[in-house]
Amino acid sequence: MSYGPSSLLGDVLRNKRAEAVVRKHLTGIVNAPLEIQLRYAPLEQVTGFLETMRADPAARAAFYAELATVDETAAEPPRPAEARTTPSPDYEPTDVPVGGARPVHPPTAIRWSTFELELHGPAHGNPFTDVALRAEFRHGDRTLTAQGFYDGDGVHRIRFLPDEEGTWSFRTTSNARSLDAVAGDFTCGPPAPGDHGPVRVHGTYHFRHADGTRHLPVGTTAYAWTHQGEELEERTLRTLAAGPFNKVRMCVFPKAYLFNADEPPLYPFAGSPQEGWDFRRPVPAYFRHLERRIAQLGALGVEADLILFHPYDRWGFSDMGPVADERYLRYVVSRLAAYPNVWWSLANEYDLMWAKDTDHWHRSAATVKECDPHGHLLGVHNCQEFWDNSIDWVTHSSVQRVDVYRTAENTDAWRTRWGKPVVVDECGYEGDIDQGWGNLTPQEMVRRCWEGAVRGGYVAHGETYLADDDVLWWSKGGELKGESPARIAFLRDILEETPGDGIDPLPSDWDVPVGGVEGRYYLTYFGFMQPRRRTFALAPGVRYEAEVIDTWNMTVTPLPGTYEGVFTLPLPARPYIAVRLVARDSDSAG
């Protein structure tokens, strides 16, 4: 069989001879930023995407004629799989004293702040792969195991996040004699003011910090902000410090895509784009830079939603092979799991990563859980096909819109489908680029955030305004230009005033969503509709105070008196209005 118009671009590119034909004829597609998304498209759609092919039927015919000479059953054999290796017990000779490495650690720690054990030990061979190191941390009857990692120059580290006050002891285990059986202890004191610990799922659909403080994710996306150099990265931090967002989605690896064609200042592995990479040798400076930025986010009260894999890659980091993937995960999770403000996202758009099958994601989840003794949140983000978010190791759904228009409207259905908190991390972006996902009006961005919130979920912001320097917030960070962040800050204030764990969807009429806490608090959102009045029907016996909220102009207008049972409220007959009904304390149910 040969390839033709109905063949998927991704299948064609897997055949080296066919790939050469595509590169020859479709120069505007291969290695272009949109190639990764077009891999799911048939060739007839891909050629239709190119103006040169649409305008020249002869060129299109020549392409298909040459491609038809390639036998699709004669694809190149897969590359040899990397062999898995086990660190040798003979890494250090028997004359090296057991436990002889010099330990450095503070005598005290702070609850929910990173504690670090630094060991000055061996550096011969390749300590990244030749040394296995871990430590057991004990507090009373509890034992937690943290994995160690090599940080270069003979320094090995083990990081831990103490979650209880009092005395903790530790003892290491390693195949390297000098790093084995190193023991000690430290005293953990109370947390610093404002530190609440890692975020956990609370109940079924909401979040709280480890100390019980409610967490309402108000997120944004800046995928590659840590790969832009000092000046731009510091600008991003200043913007986050002044903004409403308490979570940012960001990639561990650099990204190659629209408006992001520059090379990063650092690479995660030894080597170069020209000579290739040694996936057995991480570059410590790269990961030190990343963890410094994570710590800075933590100081701002911002969660770092770390994307561990993504498909937008021209360097080969999305297709390292199963053994290298696992080794990388062990390294990065062992380094970062002791930071309290970390969330794990196994992938951005996992279903675009052709080199990874379903088993890969299950294996990766198991590796993350093994190397993270602190149980940070863990999810998988989709492009077209949802991951099965009901699987036990998924803590919350991280959702991308699957319809150009209808996204946040699905939030309550997704809650029911998966039985997990719903975080719509990608509902589209406020901006003006030529991609349908990136040119929402600010009004529509805000509407989607409100729509999802009233339906019991958490909808994230994004921004993609064109810029002469190609610095778009969604990718590189910098400054925000849009009008939605101020309105999202207003929404965050409203959400923080909600009683209980947060907003849950409540019974409502067919034409408008209602959320809140049954018998206590009702939030009705009219979106782009503009009623002049509205009748509400609640159970008698509870009196409510009513407010009209203008979500765009950011005003809250109390209505006089109180209301009970069936009543009609006057409304301003303009879009983006919500009504809040709050039970008087003496009347509230529950």
PDB file of all heavy atoms in Angstrom, residues 508-528:
ATOM      1  N   SER A 508     -31.480  24.748  38.997  1.00  0.00           N
ATOM      2  CA  SER A 508     -31.756  26.049  38.396  1.00  0.00           C
ATOM      3  C   SER A 508     -32.709  25.880  37.225  1.00  0.00           C
ATOM      4  O   SER A 508     -33.000  24.758  36.788  1.00  0.00           O
ATOM      5  CB  SER A 508     -30.462  26.708  37.909  1.00  0.00           C
ATOM      6  OG  SER A 508     -29.839  25.904  36.919  1.00  0.00           O
ATOM      7  N   ASP A 509     -33.195  27.006  36.722  1.00  0.00           N
ATOM      8  CA  ASP A 509     -34.013  26.974  35.521  1.00  0.00           C
ATOM      9  C   ASP A 509     -33.146  26.609  34.317  1.00  0.00           C
ATOM     10  O   ASP A 509     -31.915  26.649  34.363  1.00  0.00           O
ATOM     11  CB  ASP A 509     -34.666  28.339  35.306  1.00  0.00           C
ATOM     12  CG  ASP A 509     -35.662  28.673  36.415  1.00  0.00           C
ATOM     13  OD1 ASP A 509     -36.221  27.731  37.001  1.00  0.00           O
ATOM     14  OD2 ASP A 509     -35.865  29.873  36.684  1.00  0.00           O
ATOM     15  N   TRP A 510     -33.817  26.298  33.208  1.00  0.00           N
ATOM     16  CA  TRP A 510     -33.109  25.799  32.035  1.00  0.00           C
ATOM     17  C   TRP A 510     -32.188  26.819  31.398  1.00  0.00           C
ATOM     18  O   TRP A 510     -31.228  26.462  30.713  1.00  0.00           O
ATOM     19  CB  TRP A 510     -34.137  25.345  30.989  1.00  0.00           C
ATOM     20  CG  TRP A 510     -34.950  26.489  30.437  1.00  0.00           C
ATOM     21  CD1 TRP A 510     -36.101  27.016  30.940  1.00  0.00           C
ATOM     22  CD2 TRP A 510     -34.637  27.259  29.279  1.00  0.00           C
ATOM     23  NE1 TRP A 510     -36.544  28.067  30.182  1.00  0.00           N
ATOM     24  CE2 TRP A 510     -35.670  28.250  29.132  1.00  0.00           C
ATOM     25  CE3 TRP A 510     -33.614  27.236  28.329  1.00  0.00           C
ATOM     26  CZ2 TRP A 510     -35.694  29.174  28.102  1.00  0.00           C
ATOM     27  CZ3 TRP A 510     -33.639  28.165  27.301  1.00  0.00           C
ATOM     28  CH2 TRP A 510     -34.663  29.123  27.185  1.00  0.00           C
ATOM     29  N   ASP A 511     -32.425  28.104  31.628  1.00  0.00           N
ATOM     30  CA  ASP A 511     -31.754  29.130  30.839  1.00  0.00           C
ATOM     31  C   ASP A 511     -30.633  29.846  31.568  1.00  0.00           C
ATOM     32  O   ASP A 511     -29.986  30.736  30.998  1.00  0.00           O
ATOM     33  CB  ASP A 511     -32.771  30.164  30.354  1.00  0.00           C
ATOM     34  CG  ASP A 511     -33.491  30.866  31.508  1.00  0.00           C
ATOM     35  OD1 ASP A 511     -33.549  30.286  32.613  1.00  0.00           O
ATOM     36  OD2 ASP A 511     -34.000  31.989  31.301  1.00  0.00           O
ATOM     37  N   VAL A 512     -30.338  29.485  32.802  1.00  0.00           N
ATOM     38  CA  VAL A 512     -29.326  30.223  33.552  1.00  0.00           C
ATOM     39  C   VAL A 512     -28.731  29.317  34.626  1.00  0.00           C
ATOM     40  O   VAL A 512     -29.455  28.580  35.289  1.00  0.00           O
ATOM     41  CB  VAL A 512     -29.932  31.500  34.182  1.00  0.00           C
ATOM     42  CG1 VAL A 512     -31.028  31.165  35.169  1.00  0.00           C
ATOM     43  CG2 VAL A 512     -28.860  32.366  34.812  1.00  0.00           C
ATOM     44  N   PRO A 513     -27.393  29.307  34.793  1.00  0.00           N
ATOM     45  CA  PRO A 513     -26.787  28.473  35.825  1.00  0.00           C
ATOM     46  C   PRO A 513     -26.841  29.142  37.198  1.00  0.00           C
ATOM     47  O   PRO A 513     -26.769  30.367  37.316  1.00  0.00           O
ATOM     48  CB  PRO A 513     -25.346  28.324  35.349  1.00  0.00           C
ATOM     49  CG  PRO A 513     -25.070  29.589  34.604  1.00  0.00           C
ATOM     50  CD  PRO A 513     -26.379  29.966  33.942  1.00  0.00           C
ATOM     51  N   VAL A 514     -26.950  28.309  38.219  1.00  0.00           N
ATOM     52  CA  VAL A 514     -26.951  28.771  39.602  1.00  0.00           C
ATOM     53  C   VAL A 514     -25.974  27.905  40.391  1.00  0.00           C
ATOM     54  O   VAL A 514     -25.961  26.681  40.252  1.00  0.00           O
ATOM     55  CB  VAL A 514     -28.356  28.672  40.236  1.00  0.00           C
ATOM     56  CG1 VAL A 514     -28.327  29.119  41.691  1.00  0.00           C
ATOM     57  CG2 VAL A 514     -29.355  29.494  39.440  1.00  0.00           C
ATOM     58  N   GLY A 515     -25.165  28.545  41.213  1.00  0.00           N
ATOM     59  CA  GLY A 515     -24.255  27.812  42.077  1.00  0.00           C
ATOM     60  C   GLY A 515     -24.226  28.427  43.453  1.00  0.00           C
ATOM     61  O   GLY A 515     -24.745  29.521  43.679  1.00  0.00           O
ATOM     62  N   GLY A 516     -23.606  27.716  44.387  1.00  0.00           N
ATOM     63  CA  GLY A 516     -23.492  28.244  45.741  1.00  0.00           C
ATOM     64  C   GLY A 516     -23.570  27.161  46.778  1.00  0.00           C
ATOM     65  O   GLY A 516     -23.042  26.056  46.589  1.00  0.00           O
ATOM     66  N   VAL A 517     -24.248  27.448  47.885  1.00  0.00           N
ATOM     67  CA  VAL A 517     -24.412  26.528  48.995  1.00  0.00           C
ATOM     68  C   VAL A 517     -25.905  26.474  49.308  1.00  0.00           C
ATOM     69  O   VAL A 517     -26.510  27.506  49.648  1.00  0.00           O
ATOM     70  CB  VAL A 517     -23.611  26.984  50.233  1.00  0.00           C
ATOM     71  CG1 VAL A 517     -23.809  26.001  51.379  1.00  0.00           C
ATOM     72  CG2 VAL A 517     -22.126  27.132  49.884  1.00  0.00           C
ATOM     73  N   GLU A 518     -26.494  25.311  49.178  1.00  0.00           N
ATOM     74  CA  GLU A 518     -27.942  25.157  49.317  1.00  0.00           C
ATOM     75  C   GLU A 518     -28.441  25.754  50.623  1.00  0.00           C
ATOM     76  O   GLU A 518     -27.911  25.484  51.702  1.00  0.00           O
ATOM     77  CB  GLU A 518     -28.314  23.670  49.265  1.00  0.00           C
ATOM     78  CG  GLU A 518     -29.798  23.381  49.257  1.00  0.00           C
ATOM     79  CD  GLU A 518     -30.431  23.654  47.910  1.00  0.00           C
ATOM     80  OE1 GLU A 518     -29.832  23.286  46.878  1.00  0.00           O
ATOM     81  OE2 GLU A 518     -31.517  24.259  47.893  1.00  0.00           O
ATOM     82  N   GLY A 519     -29.458  26.601  50.508  1.00  0.00           N
ATOM     83  CA  GLY A 519     -30.094  27.189  51.675  1.00  0.00           C
ATOM     84  C   GLY A 519     -29.339  28.326  52.317  1.00  0.00           C
ATOM     85  O   GLY A 519     -29.825  28.930  53.286  1.00  0.00           O
ATOM     86  N   ARG A 520     -28.165  28.670  51.797  1.00  0.00           N
ATOM     87  CA  ARG A 520     -27.343  29.706  52.419  1.00  0.00           C
ATOM     88  C   ARG A 520     -26.909  30.796  51.442  1.00  0.00           C
ATOM     89  O   ARG A 520     -26.826  31.966  51.801  1.00  0.00           O
ATOM     90  CB  ARG A 520     -26.084  29.097  53.062  1.00  0.00           C
ATOM     91  CG  ARG A 520     -26.324  28.140  54.193  1.00  0.00           C
ATOM     92  CD  ARG A 520     -25.018  27.535  54.664  1.00  0.00           C
ATOM     93  NE  ARG A 520     -24.069  28.545  55.115  1.00  0.00           N
ATOM     94  CZ  ARG A 520     -22.775  28.303  55.338  1.00  0.00           C
ATOM     95  NH1 ARG A 520     -22.281  27.094  55.123  1.00  0.00           N
ATOM     96  NH2 ARG A 520     -21.984  29.269  55.755  1.00  0.00           N
ATOM     97  N   TYR A 521     -26.601  30.359  50.217  1.00  0.00           N
ATOM     98  CA  TYR A 521     -25.889  31.281  49.319  1.00  0.00           C
ATOM     99  C   TYR A 521     -26.172  30.859  47.883  1.00  0.00           C
ATOM    100  O   TYR A 521     -25.940  29.690  47.515  1.00  0.00           O
ATOM    101  CB  TYR A 521     -24.392  31.189  49.618  1.00  0.00           C
ATOM    102  CG  TYR A 521     -23.497  32.128  48.856  1.00  0.00           C
ATOM    103  CD1 TYR A 521     -23.071  33.325  49.425  1.00  0.00           C
ATOM    104  CD2 TYR A 521     -23.036  31.817  47.587  1.00  0.00           C
ATOM    105  CE1 TYR A 521     -22.214  34.185  48.747  1.00  0.00           C
ATOM    106  CE2 TYR A 521     -22.184  32.662  46.892  1.00  0.00           C
ATOM    107  CZ  TYR A 521     -21.784  33.846  47.484  1.00  0.00           C
ATOM    108  OH  TYR A 521     -20.928  34.692  46.809  1.00  0.00           O
ATOM    109  N   TYR A 522     -26.677  31.784  47.070  1.00  0.00           N
ATOM    110  CA  TYR A 522     -27.000  31.490  45.672  1.00  0.00           C
ATOM    111  C   TYR A 522     -26.361  32.558  44.783  1.00  0.00           C
ATOM    112  O   TYR A 522     -26.488  33.753  45.029  1.00  0.00           O
ATOM    113  CB  TYR A 522     -28.513  31.489  45.447  1.00  0.00           C
ATOM    114  CG  TYR A 522     -29.232  30.385  46.186  1.00  0.00           C
ATOM    115  CD1 TYR A 522     -29.649  30.566  47.504  1.00  0.00           C
ATOM    116  CD2 TYR A 522     -29.500  29.166  45.569  1.00  0.00           C
ATOM    117  CE1 TYR A 522     -30.306  29.558  48.190  1.00  0.00           C
ATOM    118  CE2 TYR A 522     -30.170  28.148  46.242  1.00  0.00           C
ATOM    119  CZ  TYR A 522     -30.568  28.351  47.549  1.00  0.00           C
ATOM    120  OH  TYR A 522     -31.216  27.345  48.228  1.00  0.00           O
ATOM    121  N   LEU A 523     -25.679  32.076  43.736  1.00  0.00           N
ATOM    122  CA  LEU A 523     -25.073  32.966  42.760  1.00  0.00           C
ATOM    123  C   LEU A 523     -25.628  32.580  41.386  1.00  0.00           C
ATOM    124  O   LEU A 523     -25.382  31.472  40.889  1.00  0.00           O
ATOM    125  CB  LEU A 523     -23.549  32.827  42.789  1.00  0.00           C
ATOM    126  CG  LEU A 523     -22.712  33.932  42.147  1.00  0.00           C
ATOM    127  CD1 LEU A 523     -22.981  35.274  42.823  1.00  0.00           C
ATOM    128  CD2 LEU A 523     -21.232  33.589  42.243  1.00  0.00           C
ATOM    129  N   THR A 524     -26.405  33.480  40.795  1.00  0.00           N
ATOM    130  CA  THR A 524     -27.017  33.258  39.487  1.00  0.00           C
ATOM    131  C   THR A 524     -26.319  34.144  38.472  1.00  0.00           C
ATOM    132  O   THR A 524     -26.180  35.359  38.686  1.00  0.00           O
ATOM    133  CB  THR A 524     -28.521  33.598  39.528  1.00  0.00           C
ATOM    134  OG1 THR A 524     -29.165  32.798  40.525  1.00  0.00           O
ATOM    135  CG2 THR A 524     -29.163  33.342  38.180  1.00  0.00           C
ATOM    136  N   TYR A 525     -25.874  33.550  37.366  1.00  0.00           N
ATOM    137  CA  TYR A 525     -25.090  34.300  36.381  1.00  0.00           C
ATOM    138  C   TYR A 525     -25.810  34.284  35.035  1.00  0.00           C
ATOM    139  O   TYR A 525     -26.132  33.223  34.493  1.00  0.00           O
ATOM    140  CB  TYR A 525     -23.692  33.692  36.232  1.00  0.00           C
ATOM    141  CG  TYR A 525     -22.825  34.420  35.239  1.00  0.00           C
ATOM    142  CD1 TYR A 525     -22.525  35.768  35.414  1.00  0.00           C
ATOM    143  CD2 TYR A 525     -22.318  33.770  34.120  1.00  0.00           C
ATOM    144  CE1 TYR A 525     -21.737  36.457  34.494  1.00  0.00           C
ATOM    145  CE2 TYR A 525     -21.518  34.447  33.199  1.00  0.00           C
ATOM    146  CZ  TYR A 525     -21.242  35.788  33.393  1.00  0.00           C
ATOM    147  OH  TYR A 525     -20.467  36.464  32.486  1.00  0.00           O
ATOM    148  N   PHE A 526     -26.044  35.484  34.469  1.00  0.00           N
ATOM    149  CA  PHE A 526     -26.818  35.614  33.245  1.00  0.00           C
ATOM    150  C   PHE A 526     -25.958  35.716  31.987  1.00  0.00           C
ATOM    151  O   PHE A 526     -26.496  35.721  30.874  1.00  0.00           O
ATOM    152  CB  PHE A 526     -27.746  36.836  33.350  1.00  0.00           C
ATOM    153  CG  PHE A 526     -28.789  36.680  34.413  1.00  0.00           C
ATOM    154  CD1 PHE A 526     -28.604  37.239  35.670  1.00  0.00           C
ATOM    155  CD2 PHE A 526     -29.944  35.952  34.180  1.00  0.00           C
ATOM    156  CE1 PHE A 526     -29.558  37.078  36.664  1.00  0.00           C
ATOM    157  CE2 PHE A 526     -30.897  35.790  35.163  1.00  0.00           C
ATOM    158  CZ  PHE A 526     -30.717  36.351  36.415  1.00  0.00           C
ATOM    159  N   GLY A 527     -24.634  35.820  32.117  1.00  0.00           N
ATOM    160  CA  GLY A 527     -23.759  35.827  30.956  1.00  0.00           C
ATOM    161  C   GLY A 527     -24.108  36.913  29.962  1.00  0.00           C
ATOM    162  O   GLY A 527     -24.262  38.077  30.313  1.00  0.00           O
ATOM    163  N   PHE A 528     -24.239  36.532  28.680  1.00  0.00           N
ATOM    164  CA  PHE A 528     -24.512  37.523  27.645  1.00  0.00           C
ATOM    165  C   PHE A 528     -25.996  37.880  27.530  1.00  0.00           C
ATOM    166  O   PHE A 528     -26.377  38.676  26.687  1.00  0.00           O
ATOM    167  CB  PHE A 528     -24.004  37.049  26.282  1.00  0.00           C
ATOM    168  CG  PHE A 528     -24.276  35.606  25.984  1.00  0.00           C
ATOM    169  CD1 PHE A 528     -25.567  35.150  25.791  1.00  0.00           C
ATOM    170  CD2 PHE A 528     -23.223  34.699  25.919  1.00  0.00           C
ATOM    171  CE1 PHE A 528     -25.809  33.815  25.528  1.00  0.00           C
ATOM    172  CE2 PHE A 528     -23.475  33.354  25.650  1.00  0.00           C
ATOM    173  CZ  PHE A 528     -24.766  32.907  25.454  1.00  0.00           C
TER     174      PHE A 528
END
